[in-house]
Amino acid sequence: MTSEKFIELFNQAADLARAGKQKKALEIYESVSQTKAGITNTDLTSGDFLGVVELRKVFCLMDLNRYAEARRILESEKMQGFLTKFENETMYEYFFCYGNTLGNLSETVMMEDCLSRALAIAAEQLGDIEKSENCWYFIMYWAKQHKKWDFLEKQCVAAHMFGTDNDSVFLQTKALEFGCFAYNGLGKTDKARKAAEVVLERIRATGGKESALAEWKNFIATLEAA
C-alpha cells in the first residue's frame, strides 16, 4: 500500500510540473524518493510507485535540459530494480524517455534500440496509435538531427508503411517530410525534390501555414541551387 502522504506529495509535484515549475516539482519528487519532508519509516510505499517517482524526476530533468542527470537515473541500479514491477504503460514511458534522453546526448545506437522497444510496447502491448506515432516521429527526428541518412531513409519507408496500415495520415506525412532530408543527405536530389513538391502540394491543399509553405519552398530552392 502507498502512504497517503506520498500520494499527496506526488500529486503536488505533478501539478507543479504541469504548471512549468519543474525545479520545484523535482525537489518534491526527491523528497518522496529520499523519504524526507516529515515522512517516517512507517509511511510505507510500494516499489512500483517509487519507480514512477524516479521516472517523474527524469521528466523534470529532461524539461530542464539536464540530460546527463536524467540518464544516470534511467541507468541506475535502483531503476533497474523497478523495471520488473512496471506495467506496460510505464515501461513504454521508460523506454520513450530513455531513447529521447540518449538522442539529446548523441548516443544514437542506444537511442534507436530504446525507441524501438518503446514502439513495440505501444504497438503490440498497448495498441496505442498515438504513442506509436510519437515513437516513429522521434526515431526519424533523431536520425535527421544526427545525419544518419541511410538509417533515416529505411525508417521513413517503414514508418510510412506503418502509417498506411494503421490509417495514420500524420505518420504518412511525417515519413514523407523526413524522407526529403534523407534523400538530400544521400545525394538523391531528384528524389528529394519530387518528395518535397508533394509535401508542398499537401500543405497548400490543407490550408497550411504560410511559414510551412515558405520553409518547403526554400528547401526546394536549395535543392535547385545545388
Side-chain angles (χ1 to χ4, degrees):
M1 296 295 293
T2 301
S3 164
E4 290 296 328
K5 289 183 180 179
F6 278 91
I7 294 173
E8 182 180 347
L9 285 170
F10 181 90
N11 290 336
Q12 182 183 348
D15 288 341
L16 286 166
R18 281 191 289 268
K21 299 178 180 179
Q22 273 74 22
K23 286 185 179 180
K24 184 61 180 175
L26 183 59
E27 290 175 6
I28 296 175
Y29 287 133
E30 287 281 8
S31 75
V32 174
S33 64
Q34 296 176 16
T35 62
K36 292 181 178 179
I39 299 174
T40 68
N41 290 334
T42 59
D43 294 310
L44 302 178
T45 189
S46 58
D48 56 340
F49 179 82
L50 286 177
V52 172
V53 171
E54 291 297 297
L55 199 52
R56 292 300 180 90
K57 286 162 60 178
V58 170
F59 294 170
C60 291
L61 289 167
M62 291 177 72
D63 287 339
L64 293 167
N65 298 322
R66 292 160 59 179
Y67 299 107
E69 293 173 66
R71 181 182 186 177
R72 282 196 290 272
I73 293 176
L74 289 162
E75 295 178 351
S76 68
E77 185 176 344
K78 180 194 293 187
M79 180 64 88
Q80 299 313 300
F82 292 139
L83 293 183
T84 61
K85 303 177 184 297
F86 285 163
E87 299 291 336
N88 285 330
E89 185 89 20
T90 310
M91 285 296 290
Y92 163 82
E93 291 181 343
Y94 172 81
F95 283 112
F96 185 74
C97 290
Y98 194 5
N100 282 299
T101 294
L102 293 167
N104 275 286
L105 294 171
S106 301
E107 295 282 357
T108 56
V109 175
M110 289 180 63
M111 173 274 294
E112 294 162 17
D113 179 66
C114 287
L115 287 178
S116 295
R117 294 178 74 173
L119 174 60
I121 295 169
E124 299 168 15
Q125 304 299 321
L126 300 175
D128 191 315
I129 186 62
E130 184 175 351
K131 285 182 170 58
S132 299
E133 288 172 340
N134 287 338
C135 290
W136 275 118
Y137 175 84
F138 279 104
I139 287 171
M140 294 184 289
Y141 172 83
W142 288 119
K144 174 180 177 287
Q145 288 296 104
H146 298 297
K147 300 181 180 181
K148 300 192 68 177
W149 304 126
D150 282 317
F151 176 76
L152 178 57
E153 183 181 28
K154 293 182 177 67
Q155 294 308 305
C156 287
V157 172
H160 195 280
M161 290 178 61
F162 185 94
T164 301
D165 291 342
N166 291 277
D167 298 319
S168 172
V169 175
F170 168 83
L171 197 51
Q172 293 174 59
T173 301
K174 291 302 175 184
L176 179 62
E177 291 176 359
F178 279 112
C180 295
F181 296 100
Y183 299 142
N184 188 38
L186 292 168
K188 301 177 181 180
T189 308
D190 288 342
K191 202 167 185 178
R193 184 185 300 107
K194 289 177 182 178
E197 287 171 351
V198 174
V199 171
L200 190 59
E201 189 56 39
R202 285 186 179 182
I203 294 172
R204 289 194 182 106
T206 56
K209 295 180 180 180
E210 286 297 325
S211 58
L213 286 169
E215 178 185 350
W216 284 97
K217 286 179 181 177
N218 182 65
F219 180 78
I220 293 171
T222 301
L223 294 175
E224 293 173 345

